C-alpha cells in the first residue's frame, strides 16, 4: 500500500507535533495552514511548561506529567533533526509561599511529589537562607520567607518551537503548505477557529477561544528558573529575553491587539520582580488560545466522519501536552491502538 498518508489542518503546537510524530514513523505528511507556521496562539512569547500540583492525582495530571518527562528527549531530538532550536530548557520554577496554609500545603506536596513524580523531578521548599544561596536576587518577595522550587517545570520559545517542529517534518520528507488537497487520514488541529467550526458541526458548544496578552523584554536571565508570582509567569528564555504572561480574556473584540491589560501585566511583573523595571520592551503579543468546554484537550476520531480526527483544545497547557498527545493520536491512526484518556476523548468532550 506504500506509505500511510496524513493531512493535518493547523501548523500550531498540536498540528505540528502530530505531523512530526507521524513523519517520524514513516507516514507521508502534509500540514496545511493558510497563515503559516505558528501564526496562531502557538506562536506566542511565553512558553511556560509548568506541571499541575502533585496532589489529588488523576489521569489528566498523569498524562501531563508523562508528557513533561517525555519533553526532555523529545525537543533535543526535534532540534537535532531539523537544525532549529526550540528554546527548550528544564530550568524549573520558583513560587513564593504566601501564607501559613500555603506553607503547610507546600510541605505536603513535597512529600506527595516523591511518590507521584516517581523520582523524575522534585518539589522542594526553601527557607530564605537556602533560597538566596540558590537563586540570589532572582526571587519574588515572600511574606512567609519560604519559596517552592520544582524541577519539573521547563521553558521553550513557542514560535521557535513551532519552527523547530516544522523543520523536522520537512527533514523527514513532509510538507507544510498554505493550501492543498487532503490526502489520507485527516487531523483537524486548527485552534480556536477549529473549535468554533466544531460548535457549528455538532450544534452545541464544544469550545471557543480565550485571548491572552504577553510582553517580551530585553532582559537576560537565560539560565534562571521561571517565576510564578502575581498570577503571572515570568520566563527567562535561552536567547537572553524574558517573557511575561499572560492575561485570560473570555470577551474580546480584537483578537490580535494589545491594550491596557498588557500595561497592567507589566506593572504586576515589576512589583513581583523589581529588576524588570528598566528592561527595554522588545514586543507585545496578543493571540487567542483554544479552550475546549471540558477544559481538557480533545483527541480522537471525529464522530460519524470516517478518516477524520481531532486534536484541539490545549489552552495554556498545549505545548506541555503536545508530545504525548501526538503520540497517542498517531497510535490511533497508524497502529489502531486507542489509549486516549477518557477525559480527553472527543465523544466525552461532546
Amino acid at each position: 500500500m506504500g506509505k500511510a498518508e496524513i493531512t493535518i489542518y493547523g501548523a500550531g503546537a498540536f498540528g505540528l507535533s502530530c505531523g512530526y510524530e507521524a513523519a517520524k514513523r514513516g507516514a507521508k505528511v502534509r500540514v496545511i495552514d493558510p497563515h503559516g507556521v505558528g501564526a496562531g496562539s502557538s506562536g506566542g512569547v511565553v512558553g511556560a511548561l509548568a506541571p499541575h500540583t502533585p496532589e489529588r492525582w488523576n489521569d489528566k495530571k498523569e498524562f501531563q506529567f508523562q508528557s513533561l518527562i517525555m519533553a526532555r528527549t523529545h525537543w533535543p531530538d526535534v532540534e537535532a533533526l531539523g537544525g532549529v532550536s526550540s528554546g527548550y530548557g528544564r530550568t524549573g520554577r520558583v513560587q513564593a509561599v504566601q501564607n501559613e496554609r500555603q506553607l503547610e500545603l507546600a510541605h505536603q506536596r513535597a512529600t506527595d511529589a516523591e511518590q507521584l513524580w516517581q523520582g523524575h523531578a522534585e518539589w522542594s521548599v526553601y527557607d530564605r537562607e537556602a533560597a538566596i544561596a540558590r537563586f540570589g536576587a532572582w526571587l519574588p518577595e515572600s511574606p512567609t520567607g519560604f519559596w517552592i522550587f520544582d524541577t519539573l517545570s521547563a521553558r521553550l520559545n513557542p514560535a521557535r518551537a513551532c519552527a523547530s517542529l516544522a523543520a523536522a517534518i520537512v527533514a523527514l520528507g513532509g510538507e507544510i503548505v498554505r493550501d492543498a488537497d487532503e490526502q489520507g487520514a485527516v487531523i483537524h488541529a486548527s485552534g480556536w477557529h477549529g473549535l468554533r467550526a466544531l460548535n457549528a458541526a455538532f450544534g452545541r458548544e464544544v469550545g471557543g477561544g480565550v485571548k491572552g496578552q504577553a510582553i517580551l523584554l530585553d532582559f537576560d536571565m537565560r539560565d534562571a528558573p521561571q517565576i510564578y508570582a502575581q498570577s503571572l509567569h515570568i520566563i527567562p528564555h535561552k536567547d537572553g529575553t524574558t517573557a511575561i504572561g499572560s492575561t485570560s480574556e473570555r470577551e474580546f473584540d480584537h483578537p490580535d491587539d494589545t491594550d491596557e491589560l498588557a500595561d497592567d501585566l507589566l506593572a504586576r511583573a515589576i512589583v513581583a520582580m523589581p529588576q524588570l523595571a528598566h528592561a527595554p520592551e522588545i514586543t507585545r503579543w496578543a493571540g487567542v488560545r483554544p479552550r475546549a468546554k471540558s477544559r481538557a484537550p480533545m483527541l480522537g476520531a471525529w464522530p460519524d466522519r470516517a478518516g477524520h480526527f481531532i486534536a484541539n483544545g490545549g489552552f495554556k497547557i498545549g505545548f506541555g501536552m503536545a508530545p504525548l498527545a501526538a503520540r497517542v493520536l498517531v497510535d490511533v491512526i497508524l497502529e489502531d491502538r486507542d489509549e486516549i484518556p477518557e477525559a480527553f476523548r472527543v465523544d466525552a468532550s461532546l
Side-chain angles (χ1 to χ4, degrees), residues 74-123:
H74 170 82
W75 290 108
D77 288 348
V78 171
E79 294 172 354
L81 189 58
V84 176
S85 172
S86 67
Y88 175 81
R90 190 168 156 186
T91 50
R93 176 179 59 170
V94 173
Q95 306 174 69
V97 179
Q98 298 297 321
N99 53 53
E100 292 301 317
R101 174 56 179 158
Q102 284 190 11
L103 181 58
E104 180 183 344
L105 286 172
H107 284 298
Q108 181 59 54
R109 289 164 179 168
T111 300
D112 292 343
E114 293 179 4
Q115 174 188 0
L116 296 172
W117 289 0
Q118 305 165 29
H120 292 290
E122 297 178 358
W123 174 288

Side-chain angles (χ1 to χ4, degrees), residues 57 62 65-70 72 88 90 113-123 150-153:
W57 214 238
E62 177 65 19
F65 168 73
Q66 294 296 339
S67 193
L68 290 174
I69 294 300
M70 179 180 169
R72 293 181 299 176
Y88 175 81
R90 190 168 156 186
E114 293 179 4
Q115 174 188 0
L116 296 172
W117 289 0
Q118 305 165 29
H120 292 290
E122 297 178 358
W123 174 288
D150 80 81
T151 62
L152 183 55
S153 293

Side-chain angles (χ1 to χ4, degrees), residues 25 63 299 324-332 337 339-341:
R25 301 192 200 184
F63 190 96
L299 303 172
L324 187 54
R327 177 176 292 181
V328 299
L329 185 58
V330 172
D331 278 346
V332 170
R337 293 168 53 195
E339 299 176 357
I340 298 173

